[in-house]
Amino acid sequence: MKHRAFENILENYPFCRRFLDPKVLETAAEAFPWGEIHLRDVPDLLASLINDLDLPPFLPELARLELAIHQVDSAPPIPDPEVDEPQINPTLKSIELAWRNLLNLTGRGDDDGGAPALGRELILLWRRPGSGELAMKAADDQDLLVLKIILENLAPEEVARAGEVSVASVESALERGAARGLILLPPSLLRRDQVVFPESCGADRERFGTARAFALQWHLTQACDLHCRHCYDRSSRDFLRLDQAESVLDLLETFCRDRHVRGSISFSGGNPLLYPHFFEIYRAAAARGFRLAILGNPTTGEILEKLVAIQQPVHYQVSLEGLPAHNDYVRGEGHFERTMAFLDLLREYGIHSMVMLTLTRANLDQVLPLAELLRGRVDSFTFNRLTMVGGGAALQSVAPADFQEFLPAYLAAAQENSTIRLKENLFNIIRHQKGRELLRGCAGYGCGAAFNFLALLPDGEVHACRKFPSPVGNILKQDLAEIYDSEEARRYRRGSKACRNCAIRPACGGCQAVSYGMGLNPAEDLDPYCFIDSGDQICSG
């Protein structure tokens, strides 16, 4: 009876069981004390027999690990993973072992992990929020930091100062901890109006309907060292004083904290580097923990060195409009050569480089040849369709039929050239037709106008999207939350009524700026380049 009971107990120790032959099992069962046999007794029993039966020295510790696995896996999942304040996953269990690499014996360690070795190792075990799936890993310094922050209710700014790191890196560590399920963070409060995505759109409704980050595209100044033919705004606008700009950062910081989202700023212009207080505001933004990017023109190594010393930009974006002759016709003599040299400079400083092209009828056939020239010299290359606003109104848009033919060729090229990225929302029509998962589209959530981003102009005007007139407020007169929640912003967030019941609406919505530039009503009309079949206009679930 004892032998059978012991065998039953060992069903919960499958990894230890592999090291116990029948004779060892019989001896171990006989060695068990009289009385009721408990699951928790196995590690101590193996420890007592380790010398007499010549068992692997790590076996008692492996049994302790398996007992912890059983306990966590048997615990009920988190009933409601949504919390009001950051907290540690209530299913989390930690166990300190005297041997390292034991997770490798369970199949949960590194693929190339080593054999068991003496040395202390802390193992974390938990059930993932939502799915309830069992997870485990050897704790690293970042895991311990995240748990300490939550357990001791430390402010990211305080941790950053103590560790002499950026607030952004601390925030990133918290995000990774939440993604793993080690900690629970309050859910984002940036959510689409329910009317936008019908319930029949299924899982995509949630996937694209809640933003976990918010970006401010901040056009610091209209001043620019270029005079591009398709520039959508050459109007004269005052720029904010430094104290006003710092107040904007405070408003953004409060907004992101209250909505439980990560904040980022893309500094643009004009040329943002020509803003007289650029480095002061860049430093102040970094100190508040925002992710920072530059959308500008080529600059010098000295400028890049100053940027990196404050905070490495998540990317630096410049523009090219085609092959050298056409690009320089649009952006000025010598621009192509300067930009190519600047891309090499970005790589030298370890800054992620991006090249954006504005797609027109004149450069359609140059996109893929340009992508080949950029292969290996830029991290990311993509395009936006021309918005026929400002200087762009004098240029010709691509014919819709030619655009539809261009997209598959671009997709095919992207399979061979890792530099090419997919940003255009309408790629999702092809993905949908092929039954493939939808891409995140233009701004990560299809059209993100007034949803996961807003554009701030130099004089304080706030727009839903910078590529066309879409005013929703003024940051000098209103709080950012007031602007975001305004009916004007909601209108752009809802997008076009023509897209409302489309199967791919969660990841698309077309381009409101393109519609506006072609004389259509962005709130009512379909993107003139949309080519989805009429049968797909209704969400299929």
Side-chain angles (χ1 to χ4, degrees), residues 85-112:
E85 298 291 337
Q87 68 177 57
I88 293 174
N89 185 326
T91 69
L92 180 67
K93 181 179 179 66
S94 64
I95 177 171
E96 187 175 11
L97 302 175
W99 284 74
R100 294 182 286 107
N101 302 328
L102 295 185
L103 274 183
N104 298 334
L105 300 179
T106 72
R108 297 296 192 108
D110 297 331
D111 293 337
D112 58 348

mmCIF file of all heavy atoms in Angstrom, residues 85-112:
data_model
loop_
_atom_site.group_PDB
_atom_site.id
_atom_site.type_symbol
_atom_site.label_atom_id
_atom_site.label_comp_id
_atom_site.label_asym_id
_atom_site.label_seq_id
_atom_site.Cartn_x
_atom_site.Cartn_y
_atom_site.Cartn_z
ATOM 1 N N GLU A 85 -4.572 49.865 -9.162
ATOM 2 C CA GLU A 85 -3.216 50.278 -8.843
ATOM 3 C C GLU A 85 -2.257 49.152 -9.219
ATOM 4 O O GLU A 85 -2.636 47.984 -9.217
ATOM 5 C CB GLU A 85 -3.071 50.590 -7.341
ATOM 6 C CG GLU A 85 -3.934 51.736 -6.842
ATOM 7 C CD GLU A 85 -3.471 53.085 -7.381
ATOM 8 O OE1 GLU A 85 -2.282 53.193 -7.764
ATOM 9 O OE2 GLU A 85 -4.288 54.019 -7.413
ATOM 10 N N PRO A 86 -1.000 49.480 -9.548
ATOM 11 C CA PRO A 86 -0.030 48.428 -9.854
ATOM 12 C C PRO A 86 0.109 47.455 -8.699
ATOM 13 O O PRO A 86 0.140 47.861 -7.526
ATOM 14 C CB PRO A 86 1.269 49.202 -10.086
ATOM 15 C CG PRO A 86 0.839 50.582 -10.469
ATOM 16 C CD PRO A 86 -0.420 50.838 -9.683
ATOM 17 N N GLN A 87 0.198 46.169 -8.997
ATOM 18 C CA GLN A 87 0.378 45.177 -7.948
ATOM 19 C C GLN A 87 1.089 43.954 -8.503
ATOM 20 O O GLN A 87 1.117 43.715 -9.706
ATOM 21 C CB GLN A 87 -0.959 44.769 -7.327
ATOM 22 C CG GLN A 87 -1.883 43.989 -8.245
ATOM 23 C CD GLN A 87 -3.161 43.553 -7.542
ATOM 24 O OE1 GLN A 87 -3.899 44.372 -7.012
ATOM 25 N NE2 GLN A 87 -3.405 42.267 -7.537
ATOM 26 N N ILE A 88 1.663 43.181 -7.592
ATOM 27 C CA ILE A 88 2.307 41.927 -7.971
ATOM 28 C C ILE A 88 1.231 40.891 -8.276
ATOM 29 O O ILE A 88 0.196 40.841 -7.613
ATOM 30 C CB ILE A 88 3.236 41.442 -6.846
ATOM 31 C CG1 ILE A 88 4.410 42.423 -6.703
ATOM 32 C CG2 ILE A 88 3.753 40.036 -7.116
ATOM 33 C CD1 ILE A 88 5.327 42.137 -5.534
ATOM 34 N N ASN A 89 1.460 40.073 -9.283
ATOM 35 C CA ASN A 89 0.536 38.994 -9.615
ATOM 36 C C ASN A 89 0.287 38.149 -8.363
ATOM 37 O O ASN A 89 1.231 37.613 -7.783
ATOM 38 C CB ASN A 89 1.159 38.136 -10.730
ATOM 39 C CG ASN A 89 0.229 37.062 -11.242
ATOM 40 O OD1 ASN A 89 -0.575 36.495 -10.502
ATOM 41 N ND2 ASN A 89 0.349 36.747 -12.519
ATOM 42 N N PRO A 90 -0.961 38.036 -7.915
ATOM 43 C CA PRO A 90 -1.229 37.302 -6.664
ATOM 44 C C PRO A 90 -0.899 35.811 -6.734
ATOM 45 O O PRO A 90 -0.795 35.163 -5.691
ATOM 46 C CB PRO A 90 -2.732 37.528 -6.439
ATOM 47 C CG PRO A 90 -3.283 37.925 -7.751
ATOM 48 C CD PRO A 90 -2.183 38.634 -8.477
ATOM 49 N N THR A 91 -0.720 35.268 -7.929
ATOM 50 C CA THR A 91 -0.354 33.846 -8.033
ATOM 51 C C THR A 91 1.158 33.646 -7.997
ATOM 52 O O THR A 91 1.630 32.503 -8.012
ATOM 53 C CB THR A 91 -0.895 33.228 -9.338
ATOM 54 O OG1 THR A 91 -0.191 33.784 -10.465
ATOM 55 C CG2 THR A 91 -2.383 33.481 -9.489
ATOM 56 N N LEU A 92 1.926 34.740 -7.959
ATOM 57 C CA LEU A 92 3.382 34.630 -8.048
ATOM 58 C C LEU A 92 3.943 33.923 -6.815
ATOM 59 O O LEU A 92 3.604 34.243 -5.674
ATOM 60 C CB LEU A 92 4.009 36.018 -8.170
ATOM 61 C CG LEU A 92 5.540 36.048 -8.280
ATOM 62 C CD1 LEU A 92 6.001 35.439 -9.594
ATOM 63 C CD2 LEU A 92 6.049 37.480 -8.146
ATOM 64 N N LYS A 93 4.832 32.964 -7.062
ATOM 65 C CA LYS A 93 5.537 32.260 -5.993
ATOM 66 C C LYS A 93 7.013 32.246 -6.349
ATOM 67 O O LYS A 93 7.375 32.062 -7.511
ATOM 68 C CB LYS A 93 5.032 30.818 -5.869
ATOM 69 C CG LYS A 93 5.689 29.999 -4.763
ATOM 70 C CD LYS A 93 5.108 28.601 -4.714
ATOM 71 C CE LYS A 93 5.777 27.752 -3.632
ATOM 72 N NZ LYS A 93 5.499 28.262 -2.270
ATOM 73 N N SER A 94 7.860 32.488 -5.379
ATOM 74 C CA SER A 94 9.299 32.427 -5.606
ATOM 75 C C SER A 94 9.889 31.310 -4.748
ATOM 76 O O SER A 94 9.412 31.035 -3.646
ATOM 77 C CB SER A 94 9.970 33.757 -5.258
ATOM 78 O OG SER A 94 9.828 34.041 -3.873
ATOM 79 N N ILE A 95 10.911 30.667 -5.273
ATOM 80 C CA ILE A 95 11.589 29.603 -4.533
ATOM 81 C C ILE A 95 13.084 29.697 -4.809
ATOM 82 O O ILE A 95 13.503 29.766 -5.971
ATOM 83 C CB ILE A 95 11.040 28.209 -4.916
ATOM 84 C CG1 ILE A 95 11.817 27.109 -4.197
ATOM 85 C CG2 ILE A 95 11.040 27.987 -6.418
ATOM 86 C CD1 ILE A 95 11.204 25.738 -4.357
ATOM 87 N N GLU A 96 13.858 29.774 -3.765
ATOM 88 C CA GLU A 96 15.306 29.839 -3.910
ATOM 89 C C GLU A 96 15.874 28.435 -3.834
ATOM 90 O O GLU A 96 15.650 27.704 -2.862
ATOM 91 C CB GLU A 96 15.938 30.725 -2.845
ATOM 92 C CG GLU A 96 17.421 30.950 -3.063
ATOM 93 C CD GLU A 96 18.034 31.931 -2.079
ATOM 94 O OE1 GLU A 96 17.360 32.289 -1.099
ATOM 95 O OE2 GLU A 96 19.192 32.342 -2.302
ATOM 96 N N LEU A 97 16.615 28.030 -4.846
ATOM 97 C CA LEU A 97 17.188 26.692 -4.929
ATOM 98 C C LEU A 97 18.695 26.765 -4.719
ATOM 99 O O LEU A 97 19.336 27.770 -5.028
ATOM 100 C CB LEU A 97 16.890 26.074 -6.296
ATOM 101 C CG LEU A 97 15.406 25.953 -6.672
ATOM 102 C CD1 LEU A 97 15.260 25.429 -8.090
ATOM 103 C CD2 LEU A 97 14.668 25.054 -5.684
ATOM 104 N N ALA A 98 19.251 25.667 -4.236
ATOM 105 C CA ALA A 98 20.695 25.584 -4.013
ATOM 106 C C ALA A 98 21.435 25.111 -5.254
ATOM 107 O O ALA A 98 22.666 25.041 -5.246
ATOM 108 C CB ALA A 98 20.998 24.649 -2.843
ATOM 109 N N TRP A 99 20.668 24.767 -6.289
ATOM 110 C CA TRP A 99 21.267 24.348 -7.557
ATOM 111 C C TRP A 99 20.711 25.218 -8.680
ATOM 112 O O TRP A 99 19.534 25.561 -8.688
ATOM 113 C CB TRP A 99 20.936 22.879 -7.852
ATOM 114 C CG TRP A 99 21.744 21.909 -7.022
ATOM 115 C CD1 TRP A 99 21.577 21.642 -5.706
ATOM 116 C CD2 TRP A 99 22.838 21.117 -7.483
ATOM 117 N NE1 TRP A 99 22.505 20.722 -5.287
ATOM 118 C CE2 TRP A 99 23.296 20.371 -6.366
ATOM 119 C CE3 TRP A 99 23.482 20.963 -8.701
ATOM 120 C CZ2 TRP A 99 24.367 19.483 -6.452
ATOM 121 C CZ3 TRP A 99 24.546 20.070 -8.790
ATOM 122 C CH2 TRP A 99 24.982 19.348 -7.677
ATOM 123 N N ARG A 100 21.569 25.550 -9.643
ATOM 124 C CA ARG A 100 21.164 26.330 -10.813
ATOM 125 C C ARG A 100 20.836 25.416 -11.990
ATOM 126 O O ARG A 100 21.217 24.247 -12.012
ATOM 127 C CB ARG A 100 22.296 27.293 -11.219
ATOM 128 C CG ARG A 100 22.579 28.363 -10.180
ATOM 129 C CD ARG A 100 23.676 29.324 -10.640
ATOM 130 N NE ARG A 100 24.998 28.695 -10.572
ATOM 131 C CZ ARG A 100 25.694 28.298 -11.623
ATOM 132 N NH1 ARG A 100 25.182 28.448 -12.837
ATOM 133 N NH2 ARG A 100 26.878 27.754 -11.480
ATOM 134 N N ASN A 101 20.094 25.971 -12.929
ATOM 135 C CA ASN A 101 19.763 25.308 -14.204
ATOM 136 C C ASN A 101 18.779 24.157 -14.070
ATOM 137 O O ASN A 101 18.631 23.353 -15.004
ATOM 138 C CB ASN A 101 21.035 24.798 -14.912
ATOM 139 C CG ASN A 101 22.033 25.896 -15.195
ATOM 140 O OD1 ASN A 101 21.654 27.030 -15.430
ATOM 141 N ND2 ASN A 101 23.314 25.559 -15.146
ATOM 142 N N LEU A 102 18.078 24.067 -12.949
ATOM 143 C CA LEU A 102 17.113 22.974 -12.811
ATOM 144 C C LEU A 102 15.900 23.163 -13.716
ATOM 145 O O LEU A 102 15.233 22.187 -14.067
ATOM 146 C CB LEU A 102 16.670 22.842 -11.348
ATOM 147 C CG LEU A 102 17.770 22.431 -10.354
ATOM 148 C CD1 LEU A 102 17.177 22.212 -8.964
ATOM 149 C CD2 LEU A 102 18.501 21.183 -10.826
ATOM 150 N N LEU A 103 15.617 24.399 -14.088
ATOM 151 C CA LEU A 103 14.505 24.609 -15.023
ATOM 152 C C LEU A 103 14.757 23.891 -16.346
ATOM 153 O O LEU A 103 13.810 23.490 -17.029
ATOM 154 C CB LEU A 103 14.303 26.107 -15.291
ATOM 155 C CG LEU A 103 13.423 26.888 -14.318
ATOM 156 C CD1 LEU A 103 13.287 28.327 -14.784
ATOM 157 C CD2 LEU A 103 12.050 26.253 -14.182
ATOM 158 N N ASN A 104 16.033 23.716 -16.703
ATOM 159 C CA ASN A 104 16.337 23.035 -17.957
ATOM 160 C C ASN A 104 15.855 21.587 -17.939
ATOM 161 O O ASN A 104 15.547 21.010 -18.989
ATOM 162 C CB ASN A 104 17.845 23.073 -18.226
ATOM 163 C CG ASN A 104 18.357 24.492 -18.385
ATOM 164 O OD1 ASN A 104 17.612 25.390 -18.759
ATOM 165 N ND2 ASN A 104 19.639 24.710 -18.105
ATOM 166 N N LEU A 105 15.782 20.984 -16.761
ATOM 167 C CA LEU A 105 15.310 19.598 -16.654
ATOM 168 C C LEU A 105 13.805 19.500 -16.816
ATOM 169 O O LEU A 105 13.272 18.407 -17.039
ATOM 170 C CB LEU A 105 15.721 19.008 -15.297
ATOM 171 C CG LEU A 105 17.222 18.955 -15.010
ATOM 172 C CD1 LEU A 105 17.476 18.381 -13.617
ATOM 173 C CD2 LEU A 105 17.934 18.122 -16.075
ATOM 174 N N THR A 106 13.108 20.626 -16.710
ATOM 175 C CA THR A 106 11.645 20.623 -16.862
ATOM 176 C C THR A 106 11.221 21.044 -18.270
ATOM 177 O O THR A 106 10.023 21.071 -18.563
ATOM 178 C CB THR A 106 10.997 21.594 -15.854
ATOM 179 O OG1 THR A 106 11.270 22.942 -16.247
ATOM 180 C CG2 THR A 106 11.515 21.353 -14.441
ATOM 181 N N GLY A 107 12.195 21.390 -19.111
ATOM 182 C CA GLY A 107 11.861 21.885 -20.446
ATOM 183 C C GLY A 107 11.462 23.340 -20.464
ATOM 184 O O GLY A 107 11.029 23.856 -21.492
ATOM 185 N N ARG A 108 11.573 24.027 -19.337
ATOM 186 C CA ARG A 108 11.170 25.438 -19.253
ATOM 187 C C ARG A 108 12.364 26.387 -19.207
ATOM 188 O O ARG A 108 12.189 27.579 -19.078
ATOM 189 C CB ARG A 108 10.314 25.666 -18.000
ATOM 190 C CG ARG A 108 9.006 24.915 -17.964
ATOM 191 C CD ARG A 108 8.061 25.352 -19.074
ATOM 192 N NE ARG A 108 6.720 24.830 -18.870
ATOM 193 C CZ ARG A 108 5.672 25.553 -18.500
ATOM 194 N NH1 ARG A 108 5.814 26.845 -18.322
ATOM 195 N NH2 ARG A 108 4.495 25.007 -18.350
ATOM 196 N N GLY A 109 13.572 25.846 -19.297
ATOM 197 C CA GLY A 109 14.742 26.707 -19.232
ATOM 198 C C GLY A 109 15.196 27.130 -20.609
ATOM 199 O O GLY A 109 14.470 27.028 -21.600
ATOM 200 N N ASP A 110 16.446 27.588 -20.699
ATOM 201 C CA ASP A 110 17.010 27.993 -21.986
ATOM 202 C C ASP A 110 17.253 26.765 -22.844
ATOM 203 O O ASP A 110 17.631 25.702 -22.352
ATOM 204 C CB ASP A 110 18.332 28.744 -21.784
ATOM 205 C CG ASP A 110 18.138 30.041 -21.015
ATOM 206 O OD1 ASP A 110 17.038 30.619 -21.128
ATOM 207 O OD2 ASP A 110 19.076 30.451 -20.313
ATOM 208 N N ASP A 111 17.050 26.957 -24.148
ATOM 209 C CA ASP A 111 17.288 25.841 -25.063
ATOM 210 C C ASP A 111 18.725 25.349 -24.991
ATOM 211 O O ASP A 111 18.997 24.162 -25.155
ATOM 212 C CB ASP A 111 16.960 26.267 -26.505
ATOM 213 C CG ASP A 111 15.470 26.521 -26.688
ATOM 214 O OD1 ASP A 111 14.678 25.965 -25.897
ATOM 215 O OD2 ASP A 111 15.108 27.271 -27.615
ATOM 216 N N ASP A 112 19.643 26.270 -24.768
ATOM 217 C CA ASP A 112 21.057 25.906 -24.687
ATOM 218 C C ASP A 112 21.557 25.974 -23.245
ATOM 219 O O ASP A 112 22.739 26.180 -22.988
ATOM 220 C CB ASP A 112 21.896 26.821 -25.574
ATOM 221 C CG ASP A 112 21.734 28.299 -25.205
ATOM 222 O OD1 ASP A 112 20.816 28.603 -24.422
ATOM 223 O OD2 ASP A 112 22.525 29.126 -25.696
#
